[in-house]
Amino acid sequence: MLNNGSIEKFSAYSQFTTVKEFNAHVEQWLSQHGHKFSKGELICLQRLLRYSVKIIGVANVKIATVLKVINEEYYSNGISRSTFKRMGVKAKQLGMVEVLELKRESGGQSSNLYIFQRYPAFRNHNELPNDKHTANNTDHHGQHKYST
């Protein structure tokens, strides 16, 4: 178990150099495997992705924090902890994310470190999926879906 700390401490775990690159890989993952997640699981995943921008592709956040924000965003129609955990299990099984447990200085577990992985077809290349695959990577305002 790693010791908890500020997100900057985990910058070496990032596999991406730009948010654009990160978003392209996430889009590939979701275009191939998004149907395997329930609507609630996708909401959890999209919220977790928003915590993965300061250090691109790496998030250090408590599940409770993510669920609280979702609950506020959806006017108290939130997501359960078990739904978030199911999303994490599916994402890990697909190879989309690696999850490491972090511990407090006092010894107990604190939060998890979520490390998003490159899409396999592009792991050994510096290329991004072509524009037709990333064209849907924006919302109706033209903003990136996964970064805020």
Side-chain angles (χ1 to χ4, degrees), residues 2-109:
L2 297 170
N3 287 326
N4 197 2
S6 69
I7 188 65
E8 290 82 6
K9 174 181 175 180
F10 303 109
S11 62
Y13 289 95
S14 177
Q15 298 183 23
F16 305 96
T17 55
T18 66
V19 173
K20 180 180 178 181
E21 177 190 26
F22 175 55
N23 285 339
H25 282 267
V26 168
E27 188 67 27
Q28 250 341 95
W29 278 109
L30 292 177
S31 71
Q32 296 299 311
H33 301 287
H35 66 280
K36 297 175 183 173
F37 294 93
S38 71
K39 182 178 178 181
E41 291 165 352
L42 283 171
I43 289 169
C44 292
L45 180 60
Q46 289 173 345
R47 179 52 64 178
L48 183 61
L49 287 164
R50 290 182 185 169
Y51 283 96
S52 305
V53 177
K54 188 170 186 178
I55 300 299
I56 304 168
V58 180
N60 173 13
V61 63
K62 292 188 279 186
I63 294 172
T65 301
V66 175
L67 296 178
K68 179 182 177 198
V69 170
I70 291 170
N71 188 40
E72 291 169 358
E73 185 176 330
Y74 287 89
Y75 307 103
S76 298
N77 294 313
I79 303 290
S80 70
R81 186 175 183 85
S82 59
T83 299
F84 187 94
K85 288 192 165 271
R86 276 193 307 276
M87 174 278 298
V89 167
K90 286 179 186 179
K92 282 178 10 184
Q93 288 173 342
L94 291 169
M96 182 180 190
V97 69
E98 181 181 354
V99 181
L100 302 177
E101 292 182 358
L102 300 177
K103 68 177 180 176
R104 292 183 178 92
E105 288 183 19
S106 62
Q109 184 184 350

